[in-house]
Amino acid sequence: MKLSEHSRAILYFLMSVACLIWLVQSGSEAAKAGTFFTWPNLVFVVCLLIVTGYGVYAGFQSWKSDGGGNGDDDQEDRDNQE
């Protein structure tokens, strides 16, 4: 099964939101514990920022290449069957 560009964009955006929530939760717990500026935590935060940024970027790229469609694959499916 191949995802449409619209569906792919939605998945990238959802991944970014999940990573952002994880980043906020992890940062707040590290701040409470006083371990925010330790090397392992800083590496983890940087990795989550990179993944979140990539997800937003890839989501916008997929959204733009879709042409702002609604993700309706019915016509595309009919074209592929012929």
Side-chain angles (χ1 to χ4, degrees), residues 1 7-9 11 21 24 27 29-30 35 56 58 63 67 70-72:
M1 177 175 97
S7 300
R8 190 179 318 229
L11 286 175
I21 291 170
V24 168
E29 285 193 9
T35 59
V56 170
W63 192 273
N70 63 357
D72 186 12

Side-chain angles (χ1 to χ4, degrees), residues 30-73:
K32 287 178 188 173
T35 59
F36 189 79
F37 292 108
T38 60
W39 278 110
N41 193 57
L42 289 177
V43 169
F44 180 68
V45 166
V46 167
C47 289
L48 276 179
L49 285 172
I50 290 170
V51 170
T52 303
Y54 173 76
V56 170
Y57 173 77
F60 277 121
Q61 291 300 318
S62 291
W63 192 273
K64 283 188 347 186
S65 69
D66 181 35
N70 63 357
D72 186 12
D73 292 336

Side-chain angles (χ1 to χ4, degrees), residues 16-28 44 48 51-52:
S16 297
V17 168
C19 285
L20 187 62
I21 291 170
W22 190 9
L23 178 66
V24 168
Q25 183 263 340
S26 173
S28 67
F44 180 68
L48 276 179
V51 170
T52 303

